[in-house]
Amino acid sequence: MNGIFYIETYGCQMNKYDSELMAGLLASKGYGQAFDMEKADIVLINACTVRDHAEQRVFGRLGELKRFKDNNPNLIVGLCGCMAQRLGTEIFHRAPHVDLIVGPDMYRRLPELIQRLNGRPTCDVTPNTRETYTNITPERGTRLKAWVAIMRGCDNDCSYCIVPSVRGPARSRPLSDISHEVNRLVREGCRDVTLLGQNVNAYRHDGIGFGGVLRRLNMVDGNFRMRFTTSHPKDMSREIIDAIAEGGHICEHIHLPLQSGSTRILKAMRRHYTAEEYVNVVRAIREAIPGVSISTDVIVGFPGETERDYEATVSMVESIKFDSAFTFRYSPRPNTDATRLDDNVPEAEKGARLEHLISVQRTITDQKNKELVGQEVEVLVEGESRKGGGQLMGRTRTDKTVVFEGDLKLVGTCIPIRIDRAKGWTLWGKRIETTTSFS
Ligand code: SF4
């Protein structure tokens, strides 16, 4: 065996997917995987750069690793992911105990770079705008659920976003490869497939768009659910909405970042849609897909955001009534055009707006979930709930978490649950005993 690696992942699903990719690559070259850092010879930190806070957290972690390496000088410490791509060799100056730096387009070289280290710090953050890792099999932590990246990179130019500068332009995998991968996953027992892309509904390969991907994968035999993230409102075409409305494996949940309810701020963010256009997309989705759940992302405190702009965001959130929302305060990122704008919203005001918006959304989520009390929902059982004690958890097709009593042998099956309580993001219910289950 070439050595034992341990991967620690920070950031979005794409980074989590990439960690599975790296694990698959290393395993294919005779490396073993440890799930406890103490048992590893190689520690890889797959790090995020989307906000300054994310990077500071990783520098803190690298500090802890230094103490660990002081007691184990042969340990190889590597930094991967978007943070590695952004900072490159600068990392060696700030954390001299780091041996290896690898960018998101250079993971194929990981085994070779580790082999050739010989005590010489090595960095490869070469961009490869064609790389999609389409013939690499990720080493997934579980068989029940899987992320499948159908594309990498992003062609958009949102003024606040660092992703295009660290992940490069958009490139899509051939649909035949994606279909082959999903078929294999379902044959091997996968029950929940999430299609990944920074802007997943901008997928295009050989003239096939995202609607075509959904329709093709909806024909895959087997009992599984299909989800996708992250969509961009400007690319949510009629064809895609109609494909989702066909149901089947495709779940009735769409994550559709709004970012701001003010058209003036959306323009400064270069989101390429107006508040009104966003509302029209949501209306079209809800008309075509009954019972669909919609979640979103919102940034508060963007440069120039007045009280009036913020109120426009609040009233949009209140009128659309999202099922859930990820809310962030604006964080200036290097090499993004938004840094040329005057970051004039005081941090205290950003914090106040964020706190207020979180409470507005929490009330809405709670109300929407309370409307499900008394209803029967289909839940894919994922495992023990956090509290355990005979309680299991699973998710609905609309991506809601449900907790209920049950036996662990139900994991991987879809069962009917009657909801009897809801609080915040969580639903509680009782299993409906039937002769049939989706297993
Ligand atoms: S769509 Fe915009 S926010 Fe999303 S990854 Fe691309 S540039 Fe960033």
Side-chain angles (χ1 to χ4, degrees):
M1 185 173 291
N2 274 327
I4 308 283
F5 66 88
Y6 167 83
I7 303 179
E8 203 164 283
T9 310
Y10 296 79
C12 66
Q13 290 109 323
M14 193 57 90
N15 251 13
K16 292 184 180 124
Y17 174 82
D18 281 357
S19 290
E20 296 177 342
L21 209 60
M22 285 189 263
L25 271 162
L26 289 168
S28 72
K29 299 291 180 191
Y31 289 84
Q33 182 165 18
F35 296 94
D36 169 356
M37 192 175 75
E38 310 254 340
K39 298 201 173 63
D41 321 304
I42 304 152
V43 173
L44 300 174
I45 306 288
N46 187 5
C48 169
T49 190
V50 81
R51 269 171 287 281
D52 183 54
H53 168 72
E55 283 192 357
Q56 296 321 317
R57 206 168 143 218
V58 169
F59 275 118
R61 183 65 175 139
L62 289 174
E64 289 164 13
L65 278 177
K66 178 168 186 335
R67 288 187 289 283
F68 191 69
K69 183 162 180 172
D70 290 347
N71 304 330
N72 180 357
N74 297 328
L75 181 75
I76 292 171
V77 174
L79 187 83
C80 315
C82 302
M83 182 177 166
Q85 187 68 34
R86 186 178 89 75
L87 293 168
T89 54
E90 189 189 325
I91 300 273
F92 291 140
H93 305 299
R94 297 177 61 172
H97 58 288
V98 171
D99 307 287
L100 181 61
I101 296 169
V102 186
D105 292 345
M106 283 296 120
Y107 293 150
R108 275 182 204 275
R109 294 198 64 210
L110 200 50
E112 168 219 335
L113 291 171
I114 290 171
Q115 285 296 323
R116 290 175 39 194
L117 268 178
N118 294 332
R120 285 186 308 272
T122 300
C123 174
D124 192 346
V125 290
T126 314
N128 177 350
T129 57
R130 301 168 63 81
E131 181 62 87
T132 63
Y133 301 108
T134 198
N135 59 348
I136 306 291
T137 306
E139 190 77 32
R140 295 183 167 95
T142 163
R143 276 162 24 118
L144 182 63
K145 301 171 16 171
W147 290 300
V148 174
I150 66 170
M151 60 189 297
R152 297 179 73 84
C154 186
D155 284 343
N156 293 319
D157 59 350
C158 303
S159 60
Y160 55 84
C161 184
I162 199 165
V163 171
S165 69
V166 289
R167 290 246 169 205
R171 60 265 191 198
S172 301
R173 294 172 62 195
L175 179 49
S176 54
D177 290 356
I178 299 167
S179 173
H180 176 73
E181 184 171 358
V182 172
N183 269 287
R184 182 175 50 73
L185 284 167
V186 173
R187 274 199 313 278
E188 292 171 357
C190 183
R191 286 283 178 267
D192 196 312
V193 172
T194 301
L195 308 178
L196 282 185
Q198 314 289 164
N199 182 182
V200 74
N201 56 342
Y203 173 96
R204 185 145 295 276
H205 194 275
D206 282 353
I208 299 170
F210 189 55
V213 172
L214 291 174
R215 289 204 163 94
R216 165 79 81 82
L217 299 180
N218 219 8
M219 294 194 280
V220 171
D221 275 343
N223 299 320
F224 71 101
R225 291 169 167 189
M226 189 157 56
R227 307 175 184 279
F228 53 92
T229 197
T230 297
S231 299
H232 195 295
K234 72 174 174 45
D235 299 306
M236 193 50 82
S237 66
R238 183 79 250 168
E239 191 223 353
I240 294 172
I241 293 174
D242 291 345
I244 302 166
E246 285 163 19
H249 301 305
I250 309 168
C251 286
E252 300 76 17
H253 168 242
I254 297 175
H255 184 64
L256 197 69
L258 165 69
Q259 303 302 16
S260 173
S262 152
T263 293
R264 197 179 72 82
I265 295 296
L266 287 171
K267 200 157 186 296
M269 287 176 164
R270 285 207 303 258
R271 290 290 289 170
H272 304 295
Y273 54 84
T274 64
E276 194 191 348
E277 284 164 345
Y278 186 91
V279 170
N280 294 341
V281 171
V282 168
R283 189 178 298 120
I285 290 171
R286 285 183 169 158
E287 279 166 9
I289 312 165
V292 66
S293 78
I294 300 179
S295 56
T296 195
D297 296 339
V298 181
I299 296 173
V300 298
F302 189 78
E305 185 187 69
T306 62
E307 192 51 42
R308 202 151 153 233
D309 294 317
Y310 174 64
E311 278 156 17
T313 296
V314 173
S315 67
M316 177 81 95
V317 166
E318 286 173 336
S319 62
I320 289 182
K321 293 195 177 351
F322 294 103
D323 291 79
S324 64
F326 299 94
T327 48
F328 310 94
R329 68 171 75 196
Y330 171 69
S331 167
R333 300 311 293 136
N335 312 326
T336 59
D337 291 348
T339 51
R340 292 202 209 110
L341 305 171
D342 178 12
D343 186 8
N344 58 359
V345 182
E347 279 305 316
E349 182 55 29
K350 285 182 188 171
R353 288 176 187 174
L354 184 62
E355 211 177 305
H356 173 253
L357 189 63
I358 288 172
S359 72
V360 168
Q361 181 58 47
R362 186 181 293 122
T363 307
I364 294 168
T365 299
D366 191 55
Q367 274 163 1
K368 293 200 75 144
N369 283 347
K370 282 198 167 51
E371 287 161 14
L372 294 171
V373 172
Q375 291 192 22
E376 179 185 322
V377 293
E378 182 195 84
V379 170
L380 171 60
V381 185
E382 294 184 13
E384 224 174 358
S385 76
R386 235 177 293 151
K387 285 215 179 82
Q391 288 207 318
L392 302 180
M393 64 76 61
R395 284 191 300 160
T396 64
R397 291 174 63 92
T398 53
D399 201 34
K400 296 191 187 268
T401 301
V402 182
V403 175
F404 54 95
E405 303 281 328
D407 186 296
L408 275 173
K409 72 177 186 307
L410 291 170
V411 171
T413 68
C414 266
I415 57 172
I417 299 270
R418 187 167 309 286
I419 302 299
D420 53 23
R421 192 160 63 89
K423 189 165 183 303
W425 280 267
T426 308
L427 301 166
W428 287 265
K430 286 198 179 39
R431 184 177 174 203
I432 300 171
E433 298 298 341
T434 68
T435 52
T436 59
S437 78
F438 176 74
S439 59

